[in-house]
Structures are given as C-alpha cells and as structure tokens.
Amino acid sequence: MQAILATTFPFFALVLCGYVAVRRHMLPQLAIPGMNGFVLYFALPCLLYRFGSTTPLAQLLDPGVFGVYLLCALVMVALAVGFARVRGVDWNNGAFGALVAAFPNTGFMGVPLLVALLGPRASGPVIVTITIDLLITTSLCIALSRLGQGGSGTALRHALAGVLRNPMPWAIMLGALASGMAITLPGPVNGTVALLAGAASPVALFTIGAVLARSQMQAAGPAAWPSAGSTAASTGGASSSSTSSSTSSSTSWSASWFASWFASCFASCFASWSASRSSRWSTVWSHVVPFALAKLLLHPLLVFGAGHAAIAAGAPLDPFAFKVLVLVACLPSASNVALLTERFGADTGRVARIILVSTALSFFSFLAAVAILS
C-alpha cells in the first residue's frame, strides 16, 4: 500500500496545490485559461503523440477495449439521464449530469497517473478511452442536452465541430500513424515535443485544482468560502515534516492531509447553504452526491462486470488492458465538463460540485481500487 501511495500521492498533491493557489489568490483566475490552453493545445497533444507513436498499433485499435468501454459509457449515460429525468431534472442538466458521471479525467490525470503506476504499456488502452469519450460520449450528451429545445441536430454538429478543433484526437491519430508507419521525428523536433510532453503532467494536474477552485468560487460566491489559511498552513507544515519523518509516518500524514482537504472541500461547498438547510441539503444529496458516487463506484463496477463477462465469453480482451480500463473508470469526473455546461446553459455550479466531490473522494477510492486489483 505504501508503494501505491508513494506513486499516486504526488499526482493528487499537485491538484491540491492548484486548488490552494487559486483559493489563496497566489494564482489569479485570469491566468487559468492560459494554463488550460497550454495543456490542451501544446503539452498534452505532445504527450499523447509520444505515447501513441511508441505504442503498437494493435493496442491502439484493440476491439475488446473499444467495445467494453463504449458499452459501459453508453450504459452510464442512459442510467444517469434516466435517474435525472425521474427526479424531474430537465434534459439539459440531465445530459450534463450524465456526462460528468461517465467521463473520467483521463486526459489531464489518467494518462500520467496510469503510466506511472502500470508502465508505458498502459498508454494504449488509455488512449482508446480518451478517443471514445471525446468522439462519442461527449457528442451524445451534448445532443441529448438539446432534446426538448428543438436543436439536437445543431448541437450534435457543433459538438462534432468542437471535436475536430480539439487537438487531442489529432495527436492520437498522428501518433497511431507514426506507430504504424514507423515514422521517427527529426532530432530537434523530437526534443521540442519531449520538452512539451514532460510539462504536460505537472501543469495539467495543477490546472485541474485551479479549475476546481475557480468553478466553486464562481458558483458559490466569495462569501461562501472561508479562508484557505488552514489548508495552506497544513500544506506548509506537511512539507517540512515530510522531510524528516519516516516512510510510515509520511504515509499516515499523507492520508490525513487529504482527509482534511476532503473535509474542507465539503465544508466549503455547502457553507453558503446555511439558510433553508434541510431543503438545500436534500438538493445536494439528490443532485450532487449520487452522480459523484456513480462516477467513482458504479462506473468501475460496470467496467469490471462487463470486462469479466467479455473475457468469459472469449472476447479479445487482454487481462492487463482490462485492469487499465477499470482504473480509468475509477478516475474522478473530467474538469472540462464544467466548461461545456457553461457554454450550453446548464447548471455549472452543480456540475462543479460533482467534479470537486468526485476528485476529493477519488484519492481514497482510487487507492483502494489499485490495492484490490494489485
């Protein structure tokens, strides 16, 4: 367990650093779009290209991985939309609730985390899941969000146009082409790509935390957020104690640090809802917690069950790829869903709270999943 924590802890710590930087106003909110743009248009495409170009083409075109993950994504969307509609949620908010429950944060968090845990071989299945979520899951949910408004066809066209403008699918495609044709970049170009790819993981993880903090501050309002001095203090004290403590004490402190962060996230999320407490807590448990738990528990269980059934039926699903798929499903909700909800007029505050809760909880649920699968 200590070895798993030693690998995963830095990734979640960087998310927390970004969160604290925005909450403490060390990073202005106006800088977040620039960081997001750097990761999306420069660093992450280079990382995906490098992984794609060094992964055998057969792994990038694995039908077993594609079929199992796509089936589970569609089931998740159907269940989440059905649950929302039964609760009286409109199509727009129901569709984006489904997207936040079915779309893991694979690009910004999953690629570096799973490669660090399982090795470069994990990049093939991870790239397949990114492709499915970008091309199919997101487009489907955007189209569903327009039902009842007479614009599902237009929304689907806009979604597909957005996919074409997204550099990540193109980076994956170019990487697969380079892998299949054994193309090698010239030395200076390869060096530049390597530098950008190396910056992808830390900047992406830091940006996740920054985006989460910004989304919550915008949704709840400044008055709803207590000072993050206690969080920053625990961060500073932790960095000094971790240097002098043993491995076991460092492990214990790490868990308690994130436990306190998780508690502060919940306290911050709901601090603005002190008035009419019972009805508003009912709203939280009805419209936030179920979708966060669906992402962290139901999605992995679906992938686990579907993968086992596929293997038992003789489908071409490699056990290692199956393990990667389950861990991908254990990742928290993708932070960019909040940007889509804002663009399409859905409840951005609700989606941001789902992402925040799933990210905080995933530190524990992901560690548990890795320990069980190991």
Side-chain angles (χ1 to χ4, degrees):
M1 188 65 181
Q2 288 185 355
I4 296 172
L5 184 60
T7 303
T8 58
F9 175 77
F11 292 85
F12 287 91
L14 281 175
V15 175
L16 180 57
C17 287
Y19 181 88
V20 171
V22 173
R23 288 290 298 114
R24 292 283 295 173
H25 305 290
M26 291 181 284
L27 179 73
Q29 293 188 29
L30 291 176
I32 298 176
M35 296 179 62
N36 206 27
F38 170 75
V39 174
L40 181 62
Y41 291 102
F42 293 92
L44 193 55
C46 290
L47 181 67
L48 292 174
Y49 174 84
R50 283 175 63 84
F51 281 135
S53 63
T54 56
T55 302
L57 191 59
Q59 292 185 26
L60 299 175
L61 302 175
D62 192 327
V65 171
F66 187 91
V68 167
Y69 189 80
L70 176 59
L71 174 64
C72 294
L74 295 178
V75 171
M76 280 297 298
V77 170
L79 291 176
V81 170
F83 177 82
R85 294 295 293 161
V86 168
R87 294 289 184 122
V89 179
D90 59 83
W91 278 106
N92 195 19
N93 285 299
F96 284 106
L99 183 59
V100 82
F103 193 168
N105 206 339
T106 319
F108 278 29
M109 180 180 286
V111 174
L113 177 56
L114 293 176
V115 170
L117 275 172
L118 304 174
R121 188 182 168 197
S123 60
V126 172
I127 288 174
V128 174
T129 66
I130 292 175
T131 305
I132 292 172
D133 285 326
L134 289 176
L135 297 180
I136 300 176
T137 310
T138 300
S139 300
L140 172 63
C141 288
I142 290 177
L144 289 174
S145 73
R146 301 297 93 186
L147 290 179
Q149 302 182 28
S152 58
T154 302
L156 182 58
R157 287 193 295 272
H158 288 165
L160 293 176
V163 168
L164 293 177
R165 291 192 297 268
N166 191 323
M168 289 196 290
W170 293 105
I172 293 171
M173 184 182 68
L174 291 174
L177 183 65
S179 175
M181 301 181 65
I183 297 174
T184 303
L185 295 175
V189 177
N190 187 59
T192 303
V193 171
L195 285 174
L196 287 170
S201 298
V203 180
L205 294 166
F206 191 92
T207 304
I208 291 172
V211 169
L212 290 176
R214 181 190 62 180
S215 298
Q216 284 301 300
M217 292 169 71
Q218 290 177 346
W225 288 85
S227 172
S230 58
T231 306
S234 65
T235 305
S239 60
S240 60
S241 62
S242 62
T243 305
S244 59
S245 63
S246 64
T247 304
S248 59
S249 63
S250 175
T251 301
S252 174
W253 168 80
S254 301
S256 64
W257 185 28
F258 274 96
S260 64
W261 174 50
F262 169 67
S264 68
C265 286
F266 263 94
S268 299
C269 279
F270 307 136
S272 63
W273 297 354
S274 55
S276 304
R277 187 170 298 174
S278 60
S279 62
R280 297 194 180 190
W281 271 96
S282 175
T283 301
V284 173
W285 287 106
S286 298
H287 299 295
V288 174
V289 174
F291 290 91
L293 294 180
K295 178 67 209 71
L296 297 178
L297 299 179
L298 180 58
H299 194 194
L301 289 174
L302 273 176
V303 174
F304 185 82
H308 263 298
I311 293 174
L317 181 60
D318 178 70
F320 178 81
F322 166 59
K323 179 179 179 179
V324 174
L325 286 183
V326 175
L327 291 179
V328 165
C330 291
L331 293 169
S333 302
S335 55
N336 64 319
V337 178
L339 303 178
L340 288 173
T341 59
E342 184 176 359
R343 177 181 176 186
F344 287 93
D347 189 346
T348 305
R350 166 178 168 258
V351 168
R353 283 188 285 271
I354 294 171
I355 296 170
L356 179 62
V357 171
S358 71
T359 302
L361 276 173
S362 68
F363 175 72
F364 305 102
S365 62
F366 188 84
L367 280 177
V370 173
I372 292 171
L373 291 176
S374 298

